[in-house]
Amino acid sequence: MAQTIILFVTGLVLICLGGDRLVDAAVAIAKKLGIPQIVVGATIVSLGTTLPEVLVSTTAAFDGSAAIAAGNAFGSIICNTALIAGLTQTIRPSKKVEPSALWWRSAFFFIVIILLDVCGFITGSFGRPVGIVLLLLFIVYACINVMRAPLEGGIEEKDEDIIKEISIPFQLMILVVCAAFLFVGANLLVDNGILIAQAVGVPERVIAVTFIALGTSLPELMTSVMSLIKGYGNVGLGNVIGANLLNMLLVIGIPSAIAGIPLEKSTVMVDIPLSFLVMAVLLVPILVRKKSSRLQGVTLLGIYGIYCVMSFL
């Protein structure tokens, strides 16, 4: 047990270090390229912080346990939005959010999740065709990000001396190293957290819907918290939105394309609709008002608390 606790703490340290530097590197790239922080958060940062979910689901598919992918993906969406975004918006609501960088990502998310829920309700699974379509949609999503980047506004700070000193290759290298730290740290935290939970008698189902989903979302949590501390709240908001999209397109898409994903009734009736609900609570007021409020954050935290209690019951 002592070794398990040490590895658990090591994972936490790696996540803290990785999240701290990943935010700095992402903001530096945004400044150098003149890209809004929310765009970098929704692309580069979210891709790095979603790696744990992608690995867990892909590994499970190759091991013949693809069913874990749906719970991991939608559990992470709920955790990312209700807990992480809820926490950051409660502490410091986002101000001056650019709708042009948000509306199409929101539409993309809601269209995909509605189609997934309808498909799951009718067929009871996500088969290989669904996985292939999701992977193609990921390519479309990536292309739209590239094409729309020049249209989504510039950066607010334009200190030319600082910008000239920023090296894109060096910052990209830092991003890769930080993503690796987050990836290894999240796995250490999840694996050893599960062992600790089992040792104190926590049921297996509760471990799956709480520890795994929360553990693989820790990179998003740390990145969002560090973004908030450093005054780059829109990076964290973009990270949550981008990570949620990637949870559907890649975390479900890859294992579905490999082996198909059988769905439990609770996933179709509870997890997917709840994912839709929490994203609506987060995004709709921001799209209308161009800023968020503490009320949204408190509401999201309340939803997550109820979700956790019901999971344990």
Side-chain angles (χ1 to χ4, degrees), residues 78 117 265-276 307:
I78 294 168
D117 201 25
K265 186 176 180 180
S266 60
T267 300
V268 178
M269 303 303 293
V270 177
D271 295 339
I272 300 180
L274 187 58
S275 298
F276 182 99
Y307 175 71

Side-chain angles (χ1 to χ4, degrees), residues 38 64 67 110-111 115 162-163 167 209 250 287 311-312:
I38 195 168
F110 289 123
I111 289 170
L115 292 176
I162 294 177
I163 291 174
S167 167
V209 299
L250 293 181
L287 288 169
S311 295
F312 274 89

Side-chain angles (χ1 to χ4, degrees), residues 244-267:
N244 286 349
L245 272 163
L246 295 182
N247 267 305
M248 293 188 299
L249 301 179
L250 293 181
V251 178
I252 291 178
I254 293 175
S256 294
I258 293 171
I261 299 177
L263 298 175
E264 295 184 6
K265 186 176 180 180
S266 60
T267 300

Side-chain angles (χ1 to χ4, degrees), residues 276-291:
F276 182 99
L277 173 64
V278 293
M279 279 291 278
V281 171
L282 174 66
L283 294 176
V284 172
I286 294 178
L287 288 169
V288 173
R289 301 170 62 242
K290 299 183 181 180
K291 61 181 181 179

